[in-house]
């Protein structure tokens, strides 16, 4: 059956369902034109069907596109030459006669001699998942059919401007997948024009709208020719205005085109809009925002005392807000910043983490947040919450205090307000007596966790279909029971509080900063630090086997795939190497980067991830390094303990002080290592959940219910349960979820988020950081200077001796890297997050919570990390 070709479409008939035909701008304008009370200039779309007809006539188009795709994206001259050649070829290709006649007829219906605006509308432009704003062209005040046809061709050709080509190359978009429609609209000759943001574009505050306004056409503002008047509107009132001196404006010429003109001196200092007009415009903006369901960046113009909307696109920087069941004010704290995983999570990962968490969590932008409003409103719990969160991450505390400083933000509650764990489920000071350093407590807790995981594994073996989901619902309750074990909570709290006590009191008594950092070196029973040391032992097995080393270098370069372990066993010494790697994966194969998201590939599923780490260990260390490093750390901790106690005994009341400090040191040594084990238990259980659900997904693929197993990652747990029961799935829902996830990946989550949409990251209010240095949180004492290696993906790690790791965040999966670096700098983290704990375990100077570290520090640059004082110097 041959599809009917549609070369032109009335703008009013365009909408999101015809995106492939009219492009992003056309679809958006069509939707705008149907909103009650919104006036959009009349017009029509020259569709992508017409575009395809024309470009099919371009000589040697495929060859030109092939050369463009093969060109080096960093070769600006080649890109410039190739893109110019394509544009010229398209502009020189004649518009077919019947298409030209259709366009001429549509222009006549707008009115003979009517001036129009000709706007490009690419099929990937102005979308919720990608903003291509400014990548193609717009032409104003075009008069006459011949000029309109010429400018339509120029819009088609603008798909291949140098900036558009470079943008697609940077974002991995195939040039052939993007097509160009063209919007032709009746030209508006405005008294004023500008941009309306329905949310504050910097803070994201949804209650605040910002209007930028200038005289004449909006191109004067877009081009930077003039500064705009800026009006700030909040709760239906203009709360601030900044009126610019408007010396120049852009006006339309009678015969077509535009020009810059001088503004009458008497008009230069007057506002472009009255307050009443500003409020009317914001009201229209709220209507548009409500229609599209998210904050909008709206281009407008004022003519004949009425507003026309000429474009609206999502504010891609405005972070989504969690859904709330009421209209009350809420304050949310990021779970990802507590868990050291701020990447977007897929729906199944979000759903399972929420179901197994000890506190209610809310979803926004592919991340999880905890509502701390009740804790902040209650005088009984506010101080404790701020103290716990502030010790973990001072930026979270500062952000919360910024909100609290505003009158009326948090309604007061009685002094006996609600309690419960703080954000992320981190323990807070225990009201019960903390356990003494009984050596039997941690082994008992570990055995309880192991027994529970083993029971889960046995239970999953015999279940499938709806029965599997019934069992998993019971398993999630067991998961929470183990995680919330009161003795486990008290053991973690004992280690944390003893650490804080030692740092605080030894600082006061001995004038020593962060003494606990040395006292915790090589603390026994730390599963995460053992993971790094055990990989050194794997390297010891591989190092003396040259054929194995050479083979693994090929794996690192991508010569072998995930089946490399089977090939490894065929080499001389390969059997021993495989056994060592398999044993490591048996213990740690459930780990991966971003492991709180069940959908992330685990090391057991993708063992090639470990190969670069093993080879780094082979290259940078000698035999027996793991045992030596652990023993060196133990000896340093022991010597530090003896030194501290001796100095305390020399003080007034020294014996009592030394006795108390010894008790705290014993608690640190007994419980600090256990801090990492509950997370290991969580991830162990999660991997078993994942394996069972993927087996179920495999059966759904066999039954042709799903296209691929990984589609389940875009369903919540209850939705997947329904699919298994009904054997039916909504493919459109999965596609929408995939699109949404791609958009969430581009967002940076805030530490604190309000229900008004205000995103706060907090600030270090310090006077002790040298000029030019980057402030952060001191989490592991010492100073080190070296080469910065900025690494965003564990798979890209290539470290030499003495290098300093700089990254966004580190969860336990990064720990094997720590054995080979000299220091650590991260953008996210706190005193008790995993990276900080392991940095102290290994004695690495570390500063975390350094905003923008991966952007401000260049890969290969020399830096000095002040782990005791909490800042990073950038060296020449």
């Amino acid at each position: 059956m041959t599809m009917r070709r549609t070369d032109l479409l009335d703008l009013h008939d365009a909408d999101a369902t015809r995106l492939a035909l009219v492009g992003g701008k056309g679809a958006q304008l069509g939707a705008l034109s149907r909103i009650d009370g919104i006036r959009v200039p009349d017009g029509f779309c020259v569709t992508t069907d017409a575009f395809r007809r024309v470009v099919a006539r371009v000589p040697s188009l495929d060859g030109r596109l092939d050369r463009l795709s093969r060109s080096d994206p960093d070769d600006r001259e080649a890109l410039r030459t190739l893109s110019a050649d394509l544009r010229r070829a398209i502009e020189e290709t004649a518009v077919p006669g019947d298409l030209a006649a259709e366009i001429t007829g549509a222009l006549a219906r707008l009115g003979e001699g009517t001036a129009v605006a000709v706007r490009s509308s690419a099929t990937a432009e102005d979308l919720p998942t990608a903003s291509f704003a400014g990548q193609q062209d717009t032409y104003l005040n075009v008069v006459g059919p011949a000029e309109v046809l010429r400018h339509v061709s120029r819009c088609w050709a603008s798909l291949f401007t140098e900036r558009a080509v470079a943008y697609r190359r940077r974002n991995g978009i195939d040039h052939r997948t993007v097509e160009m429609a063209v919007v032709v609209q009746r030209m508006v000759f405005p008294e004023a024009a500008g941009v309306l943001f329905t949310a504050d574009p910097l803070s994201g505050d949804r209650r605040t709208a910002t209007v930028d306004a200038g005289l004449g056409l909006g191109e004067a503002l877009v081009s930077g020719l003039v500064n705009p008047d800026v009006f700030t509107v909040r709760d239906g009132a203009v709360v601030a205005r900044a009126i610019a001196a408007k010396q120049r404006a852009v006006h339309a010429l009678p015969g077509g085109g535009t020009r810059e003109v001088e503004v009458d001196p008497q008009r230069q200092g007057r506002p472009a809009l009255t307050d009443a007009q500003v409020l009317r415009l914001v009201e229209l903006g709220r209507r548009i925002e409500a229609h599209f369901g998210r904050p909008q960046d709206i281009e407008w113009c004022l003519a004949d005392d009425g507003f026309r909307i000429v474009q609206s696109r999502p504010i891609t920087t405005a972070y989504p807000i969690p859904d709330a069941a009421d209209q009350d004010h809420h304050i949310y704290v990021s779970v990802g910043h507590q868990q050291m995983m701020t990447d977007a999570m897929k729906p199944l990962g979000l759903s399972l983490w929420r179901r197994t968490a000890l506190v209610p969590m809310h979803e926004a932008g592919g991340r999880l947040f905890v509502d701390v409003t009740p804790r902040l409103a209650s005088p009984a719990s506010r101080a404790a919450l701020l103290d716990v969160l502030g010790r973990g991450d001072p930026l979270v505390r500062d952000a919360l205090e910024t909100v609290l400083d505003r009158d009326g933000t948090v309604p007061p509650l009685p002094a006996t307000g609600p309690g419960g764990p703080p954000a992320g489920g981190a323990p807070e000071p225990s009201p019960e007596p903390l356990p003494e350093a009984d050596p039997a407590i941690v082994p008992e807790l570990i055995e309880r966790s192991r027994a529970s995981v083993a029971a889960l594994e046995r239970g999953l073996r015999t279940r499938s279909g709806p029965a599997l989901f019934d069992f998993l619902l019971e398993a999630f309750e067991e998961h929470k029971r183990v995680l919330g074990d009161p003795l486990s909570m008290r053991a973690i709290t004992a280690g944390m509080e003893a650490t804080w006590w030692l740092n605080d009191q030894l600082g006061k008594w001995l004038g020593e900063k962060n003494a606990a950092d040395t006292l915790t070196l090589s603390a026994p029973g730390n599963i995460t630090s053992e993971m790094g040391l055990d990989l050194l032992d794997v390297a010891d097995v591989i190092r003396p086997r040259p054929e194995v080393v050479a083979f693994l270098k090929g794996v690192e370069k991508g010569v072998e795939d995930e089946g490399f372990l089977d090939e490894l066993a065929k080499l001389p010494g390969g059997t021993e190497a495989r056994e060592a790697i398999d044993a490591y994966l048996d213990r740690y194969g459930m780990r991966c980067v971003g492991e709180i998201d069940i959908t992330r590939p685990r090391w057991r599923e993708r063992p090639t991830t470990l190969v670069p780490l093993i080879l780094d260990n082979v290259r940078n260390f000698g035999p027996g390094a793991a045992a030596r490093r652990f023993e060196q750390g133990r000896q340093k901790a022991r010597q530090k303990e003896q030194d501290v106690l001796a100095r305390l005994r020399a003080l007034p009341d020294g014996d009592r002080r030394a006795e108390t400090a010894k008790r705290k040191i014993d608690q640190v040594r007994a419980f600090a290592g256990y801090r990492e084990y509950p997370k290991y238990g969580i991830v162990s259980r999660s991997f078993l959940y994942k394996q069972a659900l993927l087996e179920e997904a495999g059966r759904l693929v066999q039954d042709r219910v799903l296209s691929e197993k990984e589609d389940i990652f875009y369903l919540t747990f209850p939705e997947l349960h329904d699919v298994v029961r009904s054997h039916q799935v909504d493919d459109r829902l999965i596609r929408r979820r995939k699109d949404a996830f791609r958009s969430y990946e581009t967002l940076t989550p805030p530490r604190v988020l309000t229900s008004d949409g205000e995103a706060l990251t907090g600030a270090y209010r310090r006077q002790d950081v040298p000029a030019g240095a980057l402030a952060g949180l001191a989490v592991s004492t010492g100073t080190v200077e070296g080469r910065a290696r900025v690494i965003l993906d564990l798979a890209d790690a290539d470290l030499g001796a003495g290098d300093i790791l700089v990254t966004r965040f580190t969860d336990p999966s990064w720990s094997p890297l720590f054995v080979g670096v000299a220091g650590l700098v991260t953008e996210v983290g706190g005193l008790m997050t995993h990276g900080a704990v392991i940095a102290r375990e290994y004695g690495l100077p570390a500063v975390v919570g350094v905003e923008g570290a991966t952007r401000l520090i260049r890969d290969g640059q020399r830096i000095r990390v002040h782990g005791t004082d909490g800042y990073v110097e950038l060296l020449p």
Side-chain angles (χ1 to χ4, degrees):
M1 179 178 175
T2 303
M3 295 292 292
R4 180 179 177 275
R5 195 184 71 229
T6 306
D7 289 334
L8 260 63
L9 192 70
D10 189 273
L11 190 59
H12 193 74
D13 294 329
D15 59 22
T17 64
R18 298 187 171 186
L19 178 67
L21 199 61
V22 299
K25 188 168 292 174
Q28 196 81 346
L29 284 167
L32 284 165
S33 71
R34 291 191 296 279
I35 301 174
D36 185 40
I38 302 302
R39 299 169 68 184
V40 174
D42 295 337
F44 59 90
C45 293
V46 183
T47 69
T48 53
D49 282 353
F51 169 78
R52 282 193 297 273
R53 287 181 65 196
V54 172
V55 296
R57 299 180 171 209
V58 174
S60 306
L61 177 67
D62 285 338
R64 286 180 160 105
L65 288 174
D66 285 342
R67 287 194 294 275
L68 192 61
S69 298
R70 290 195 304 266
S71 65
D72 183 347
D74 296 323
D75 188 343
R76 297 285 299 276
E77 187 57 39
L79 279 181
R80 186 177 297 115
T81 301
L82 291 169
S83 59
D85 177 57
L86 261 169
R87 288 198 307 278
R88 186 167 51 250
I90 293 171
E91 288 183 36
E92 291 174 354
T93 299
V95 177
D98 60 330
L99 175 58
E102 271 197 85
I103 293 173
T104 300
L107 289 169
R109 287 190 291 276
L110 288 178
E112 207 65 51
T114 297
V116 295
V118 182
R119 304 174 183 273
S120 63
S121 180
T123 53
E125 186 178 17
D126 294 342
L127 304 181
T129 55
S131 177
F132 284 61
Q135 297 305 312
Q136 282 83 43
D137 291 347
T138 290
Y139 302 99
L140 300 177
N141 198 30
V142 181
V143 180
E147 282 299 293
V148 170
L149 289 171
R150 185 168 73 88
H151 284 86
V152 166
S153 290
R154 291 181 70 184
C155 280
W156 288 330
S158 74
L159 195 61
F160 297 99
T161 60
E162 184 185 349
R163 66 181 183 274
V165 167
Y167 187 94
R168 290 196 292 273
R169 290 296 301 270
R170 282 196 306 273
N171 289 278
I173 299 169
D174 187 340
H175 300 301
R176 287 180 170 84
T177 63
V178 183
E179 296 177 327
M180 181 67 79
V182 181
V183 174
V184 180
Q185 286 179 283
R186 186 190 303 276
M187 183 68 191
V188 177
F189 301 100
E191 304 151 33
V195 179
L196 160 65
F197 296 97
T198 63
D200 187 312
L202 296 179
S203 72
D205 186 353
R206 305 311 200 259
R207 291 171 63 191
T208 299
T210 302
V211 175
D212 289 4
L215 299 176
L217 293 168
E219 308 316 294
L221 300 184
V222 174
S223 66
L225 178 66
V226 298
N227 291 323
D229 294 344
V230 180
F231 301 87
T232 303
V233 176
R234 187 174 176 85
D235 297 334
V238 177
V239 295
R241 61 181 64 75
I243 307 305
K246 293 170 279 295
Q247 297 176 338
R248 301 186 69 77
V250 174
H251 285 178
L253 293 169
T258 62
R259 70 170 181 181
E260 295 177 21
V261 298
E262 296 282 348
V263 175
D264 185 328
Q266 293 185 336
R267 183 74 179 89
Q268 289 180 7
R270 285 159 46 194
L273 296 177
T274 66
D275 281 7
Q277 288 170 329
V278 169
L279 294 177
R280 171 60 180 154
L281 177 60
V282 171
E283 180 187 330
L284 296 175
R286 294 294 182 213
R287 197 172 297 182
I288 294 169
E289 179 183 64
H291 178 84
F292 291 116
R294 59 187 299 183
Q296 297 289 302
D297 166 359
I298 299 167
E299 296 176 25
W300 57 269
C301 54
L302 174 67
D304 304 323
D305 202 33
F307 287 102
R308 310 293 194 279
I309 304 302
V310 294
Q311 189 51 278
S312 182
R313 62 177 65 88
I315 301 177
T316 55
T317 56
Y319 200 84
I321 306 171
D323 290 331
D326 55 45
Q327 299 299 312
D328 295 339
H329 187 75
H330 296 271
I331 303 169
Y332 304 96
V333 169
S334 164
V335 172
H337 285 81
Q338 310 293 315
Q339 291 292 335
M340 298 297 286
M341 212 297 274
T342 56
D343 289 349
M345 296 170 65
K346 294 187 177 77
L348 186 62
L350 291 164
S351 178
L352 285 180
W353 192 263
R354 292 176 72 178
R355 281 182 168 268
T356 53
L358 296 180
V359 294
M361 293 184 179
H362 306 265
E363 179 186 339
R367 279 84 172 182
L368 293 172
F369 295 84
V370 170
D371 186 354
V372 296
T373 318
R375 305 287 313 273
L376 292 173
S378 166
S381 56
R382 180 186 306 149
L385 177 73
L386 291 174
D387 182 58
V388 170
L389 292 179
R391 283 183 181 274
D393 185 342
L395 295 178
V396 171
R397 177 173 188 145
D398 182 80
L400 288 173
E401 287 178 336
T402 299
V403 177
L404 289 169
D405 285 344
R406 299 172 189 159
D407 292 338
T409 297
V410 181
L413 288 178
T416 55
E428 57 183 312
S430 172
E432 300 181 47
L434 298 175
E436 294 298 321
D438 182 348
I441 291 177
V442 169
E444 178 188 345
L445 289 169
I446 290 174
E447 183 51 39
R448 289 184 193 176
S449 177
R450 285 175 177 166
S452 178
V453 171
L456 172 65
E457 188 170 16
R458 288 193 301 272
L460 289 171
R461 284 183 198 142
T462 58
R463 289 172 171 85
S464 62
L468 169 66
F469 286 80
D470 293 339
F471 177 76
L472 283 173
L473 289 171
E474 296 175 7
F476 296 159
E477 294 307 309
E478 168 68 3
H479 182 127
K480 289 192 283 188
R481 188 195 66 76
V482 173
L483 190 58
D485 184 329
L487 181 59
S488 176
M489 288 287 197
R490 290 173 60 218
I492 294 171
T493 303
M496 291 170 61
E497 290 199 6
T499 300
W500 297 338
W501 187 95
L502 287 166
N503 280 337
D504 290 345
Q505 292 304 121
L506 296 183
K508 293 175 185 175
W509 292 344
L510 302 178
E512 187 167 337
K513 289 184 178 181
N514 303 327
D517 291 359
T518 304
L519 293 167
T520 55
L521 288 172
S522 297
N526 188 317
I527 189 71
T528 306
S529 65
E530 288 172 5
M531 181 168 65
L533 297 175
D534 286 352
L535 201 62
L536 286 174
D537 290 339
V538 173
D540 284 354
V541 175
I542 288 168
R543 190 179 295 106
R545 295 172 167 82
E547 294 92 340
V548 171
V549 172
F551 175 78
L552 291 179
K553 287 180 178 176
V555 174
E556 184 182 29
K557 293 175 181 176
V559 176
E560 295 286 342
D561 60 16
E562 296 299 339
F564 79 95
L565 287 173
D566 292 332
E567 295 300 314
L568 183 62
K570 301 174 184 176
L571 299 171
T575 300
E576 295 83 355
R578 173 170 182 161
E579 288 173 353
I581 295 174
D582 268 334
Y584 187 86
L585 290 171
D586 286 344
R587 191 175 189 199
Y588 305 112
M590 76 294 290
R591 311 220 80 148
C592 69
V593 173
E595 60 191 12
I596 71 170
D597 183 354
I598 193 177
T599 71
R600 291 286 190 104
R602 310 283 139 174
W603 288 348
R604 175 54 85 179
E605 297 169 312
R606 193 174 291 173
T608 53
T609 305
L610 293 175
V611 172
L613 308 180
I614 293 170
L615 290 174
D616 278 347
N617 289 346
V618 167
R619 183 174 63 250
N620 296 330
F621 296 93
R628 281 197 308 276
R629 286 177 65 96
F630 187 82
E631 182 58 25
Q632 287 167 0
R634 197 179 69 83
Q635 291 294 339
K636 284 181 182 177
R638 184 179 179 185
Q639 291 164 8
K640 186 68 174 179
E641 176 182 337
Q642 293 171 346
D643 173 65
V644 163
L645 296 178
R647 290 163 62 195
L648 287 175
R649 291 190 186 101
L651 298 175
D653 197 21
D655 287 344
R656 184 189 61 80
R657 295 185 187 188
E659 181 183 348
T660 306
K662 171 61 175 167
R663 191 163 62 250
K664 296 297 184 182
I665 291 170
D666 288 347
Q667 282 185 313
V668 165
R669 301 296 297 175
F671 299 121
Y674 177 71
R675 168 75 175 79
E676 294 291 300
Y677 199 87
K679 183 71 170 289
Y680 176 78
I682 291 171
V683 178
S684 298
R685 297 180 70 89
S686 295
F687 189 39
L688 294 174
Y689 303 152
K690 180 181 185 179
Q691 289 174 306
L693 292 174
L694 281 176
E695 284 184 22
E696 199 63 39
R699 287 187 278 272
L700 292 171
V701 171
Q702 285 181 343
D703 294 341
R704 300 190 176 184
V705 177
L706 293 176
S707 299
E708 54 187 21
K709 291 196 297 184
E710 288 73 18
D711 281 349
I712 67 169
F713 295 162
Y714 298 93
L715 299 172
T716 65
F717 183 80
E719 289 167 349
L720 179 55
H721 194 176
D722 287 341
V723 170
V724 169
R725 279 191 295 233
S726 68
H727 260 52
Q728 293 182 333
V729 69
D730 184 347
D731 292 326
R732 292 171 302 175
L733 173 65
I734 290 175
R735 284 197 298 272
R736 286 198 303 272
R737 293 273 176 79
K738 289 179 178 179
D739 287 342
F741 177 73
R742 282 192 291 272
S743 73
Y744 296 153
E745 286 183 297
T746 67
L747 299 175
T748 300
R751 284 176 166 83
V752 172
L753 179 67
T754 73
S755 51
D756 291 333
E758 186 176 8
L760 300 99
T761 58
Y764 294 107
R765 305 184 190 280
R766 296 171 50 181
Q767 305 298 321
D768 60 339
V769 177
L774 307 179
L777 178 63
V779 296
S780 185
T781 193
T783 301
V784 65
E785 180 179 322
R787 179 180 67 160
R789 295 312 311 269
V790 180
I791 298 173
L792 302 181
D793 187 333
L794 190 63
D796 297 331
D798 181 15
L799 296 163
D803 283 349
I804 297 170
L805 174 62
V806 180
T807 189
R808 290 177 298 158
F809 58 80
T810 62
D811 58 13
S813 68
W814 288 74
S815 300
L817 275 188
F818 286 24
V819 299
V821 297
L824 173 69
V825 178
T826 69
E827 294 180 341
V828 177
L831 277 169
M832 300 310 295
T833 47
H834 304 282
V837 171
I838 305 307
R840 290 193 292 270
E841 283 279 321
Y842 289 164
L844 302 176
V847 180
V848 303
V850 180
E851 281 291 298
T854 59
R855 175 175 47 85
L856 298 171
I857 300 173
R858 299 189 315 274
D859 185 46
Q861 180 177 16
R862 289 196 69 77
I863 62 174
R864 187 179 295 125
V865 177
H866 293 263
T868 305
D869 296 313
Y871 63 88
V872 180
E873 286 185 279
L874 309 181
L875 303 177

